[in-house]
Amino acid sequence: MSSDLVMDTCLLAGSIILKNGGETYRTEETMALIAKAAGMDDVNSSATPTSIILSFRCSGLDHTRMVRTPKRTTNLNKITLVNDVSRQFVGGKINLEQAYRTLREIDQKKQIYPKWLQHLAAATASGSFSMLAGGDWGSLIPSAMAGLIVNLSQEYLEQFVRMKFFTEFSAALLGGLFALLTVTIFPQLHLSIIIIGAMLPLFPGIAITNSLRDLMAGDLVAGVSRGVEAMLTAVSVAVATAIILSFTR
């Protein structure tokens, strides 16, 4: 069995998991299981939120390679598909070539839900959350529209700016400005309730969850880095919200 193909398959599986919102310990375990099932010896894998390192011994020679994953998103469906491929290969149901081809197809697969549906879901979640936060029916539509603006702004700005803090801050600021404009036109609405709903698409839920899971799994570096990433998102939202609220004083 080609060591290069084993390396390519393992790194591809790991990078798909990591850049689509998976935990680092899951990334490491998946790569190690595939490499061991392929007959590699002395397998060692290491992952951080931005890089993957894999090494193993084949025919008396050591092989090591590293790949970076600077851009990450959330697509739990791809993680599930990679887990299925890993189980099938480890269980002997498919060979390494089939596993690699399937992983390539998974990596190139588009999102299950179209963009317009994702934006609609963000708007619905923002409007609904404003109701849960104590808002009335009058706050539903403004909160939904503000959440839609936040989600659209974040996606658009990410195409031009790689600094995540700036994109999230700008998106939160635009959503807050829309909320402020709405309250200026309709004074009976509550600005704080609309802002709470508008910021929901930026809530770093997966980052916080993965941080805690990595910490509990013993991956301290990955857990702390993901926790810092979630904290920076919270800070960007808080600063943008504070700026908006300062206009009401």
Side-chain angles (χ1 to χ4, degrees), residues 26-95:
R26 186 190 301 272
T27 302
E28 295 173 351
E29 289 180 356
T30 300
M31 292 191 299
L33 287 172
I34 294 176
K36 291 177 180 178
M40 302 297 106
D41 300 321
D42 195 19
V43 178
N44 292 282
S45 60
S46 177
T48 69
T50 57
S51 64
I52 300 173
I53 302 175
L54 177 66
S55 68
F56 54 75
R57 179 170 296 176
C58 179
S59 301
L61 298 176
D62 292 326
H63 302 267
T64 303
R65 196 185 302 175
M66 183 190 77
V67 295
R68 283 186 54 81
T69 56
K71 187 176 181 180
R72 298 181 302 280
T73 184
T74 301
N75 191 335
L76 302 183
N77 178 60
K78 287 189 177 183
I79 299 175
T80 302
L81 294 175
V82 172
N83 288 336
D84 291 339
V85 173
S86 174
R87 293 190 186 97
Q88 290 177 15
F89 175 71
V90 174
K93 297 180 180 179
I94 59 176
N95 57 37

Side-chain angles (χ1 to χ4, degrees), residues 8 48 80 103 120 149 153-154 175 185 203 208 218 226-227 235 240:
D8 291 340
T48 69
T80 302
L103 289 173
L120 179 61
I149 291 174
S153 301
Q154 183 183 18
I185 299 175
F203 182 74
I208 294 174
R226 287 185 184 273
V235 169

Side-chain angles (χ1 to χ4, degrees), residues 126 129-130 133 139 142-143 146-147 150 172-173 175-180 183 190-201 237-238 240-246 248:
S126 295
F129 193 74
S130 67
S139 303
S143 297
V150 169
L173 190 63
L177 287 174
F178 176 81
L180 181 62
V183 173
H190 298 282
L191 177 62
S192 58
I193 297 297
I194 298 177
I195 289 181
I196 289 174
M199 302 306 166
L200 185 64
V237 173
T241 302
I243 293 175
I244 297 301
L245 293 178
S246 67
T248 63

